Amino acid sequence: MPKQEDMGHPDSAIRLASAVHRFRVPMIGKTVNFQRSFMTAGAHPLTKNATKRADEARKKLQTSLSAKNISGERVYGDASRYLPFIYQILLSCKIQPESARLDERLSFEWKSGVEKEPEEFGSEALMYDMVMCISCQALGKAAVATECSTAGEFAQASREYAAAAGIFRHLFEETLPQWIAKGNNVEDATNLPSECSIACCEALMELFLANGQQMAVASVLIKPGQPNYSLLAKLLLGCHERLEKFSSLMRKNAFGHMQRMDKDAFTLLQFSTVLIKSLSQYFYARAKWEEMDYGIAIALLSESRQMILPPAKNFAGKPGVLPDIPKRGSPLTPLGKELDDLKKHYTQLLQLWEKDNSNVYFENVPPRVQESDKLQDSLLLTKPTPYTLDQDMDPLPLALPAAATGMLPANNASAVSDEALARELQRKLNAGLR
């Protein structure tokens, strides 16, 4: 039997604690053409140049989203380069509605990146295109995080997940409420992609914060030497709470969207929720053993082991129970060997502690752990990275043919350039919003 000093946490604990679902990224449907749509109203050189660059930037984003091998960094970068253009066009139409007339209808078509078999949803709303562009930034960051995690760069992965969480927080706190204020029903599960739902965005923020904290745990576990067991227990309990909050938010506020999302994500979620709770109690047991509370430590470790054993048939598939791991065709399949290794470690450490207690310490081991003896305080380490949409730009000049010739209404005493007029309108609008 291994000695106590040889019984550090196994590598399987690192891989299991950092197991996360990788979402896809949204997909753009048919291409729109801003140049053709604004050919008349956007005849001004500034507008013509901006619509041309908007078309080019959107085409690049479309290409990166449909690549055979998705690069999260490329998706985030191309979305970030396109976003200022769609925002400026939206701002221009908002400030100059009387001049925002199109030669060709704009219809934006997108598919969700978080749904299993996403339908293509279309809308003529410029805000729809902007929201989906921002969601590309968020899911691009999440993809970068999983790439970092796979490479063992857990600290960087944690930062990327925090960035993704911050973008989704911006969507559900700022951009989507503005859209709803215009009378749009973005919560209709049959109407738009899940990324356009306030409830989904809030839930995804919680999920990515949990994933980020999982990466923080892994970054501690890979360091040489004995970790701080109590800290790890609290961090893992925080992960568990956030994973449960994601599930709760989806069930209560976005069940229709939940039905459309990738079932593999929820299979892994159920597995991770139970596994992470077990790991939290395992590390808390080790902290208690170091505090010489041997009886409680043994009881805690025994319960931790019980959590990851195959459930009785009448409990299989229920919430809070570890799901079965099929031999193939499941996102859990690659984790089967890791789970077996963790079970073996739990068993060996439990036998060692029971032997030491029987021969040396003689402490009473309670048949079950009282709630008061379990870890009470979690630690929520990860926070959403603040995200701001750059709104410091002038609207593009839009003009109908009569105005384009320099003709102004008769009551105008002096000629004003399109640019100056647009800036003045923006100043008045901003003053009215304060």
Side-chain angles (χ1 to χ4, degrees), residues 21-24 112-119 121 139 168 189 192-208 211 246-247 249-251 253-269:
H21 177 79
R22 175 167 181 162
F23 288 102
R24 296 185 296 272
S112 171
V114 299
E115 297 173 12
K116 178 65 173 178
E117 297 177 351
E119 297 180 40
F121 292 99
L139 292 172
F168 275 118
L192 291 171
S194 295
E195 293 91 327
C196 294
S197 160
I198 286 179
C200 283
C201 288
E202 183 180 6
L204 287 168
M205 180 196 73
E206 290 293 338
L207 176 63
F208 289 140
N211 292 162
F246 166 73
S247 296
L249 286 170
M250 291 300 299
R251 285 194 302 269
N253 304 331
F255 189 73
H257 290 284
M258 182 178 175
Q259 295 295 96
R260 285 166 29 189
M261 291 176 72
D262 194 335
K263 299 297 185 292
D264 287 349
F266 290 96
T267 301
L268 179 58
L269 176 70

Side-chain angles (χ1 to χ4, degrees), residues 210-250:
N211 292 162
Q213 190 146 317
Q214 288 175 252
M215 299 302 115
V217 167
S219 70
V220 174
L221 292 176
I222 61 173
K223 293 179 180 178
Q226 179 178 305
N228 184 319
Y229 293 136
S230 179
L231 173 64
L232 282 169
K234 291 178 181 179
L235 287 172
L236 284 160
L237 186 58
C239 293
H240 171 78
E241 290 173 357
R242 277 194 158 135
L243 290 174
E244 286 204 320
K245 187 172 182 181
F246 166 73
S247 296
S248 175
L249 286 170
M250 291 300 299

Side-chain angles (χ1 to χ4, degrees), residues 3-17:
K3 297 180 180 179
Q4 171 77 10
E5 56 267 24
D6 299 329
M7 291 292 287
H9 62 269
D11 289 344
S12 57
I14 304 171
R15 290 187 282 270
L16 289 167

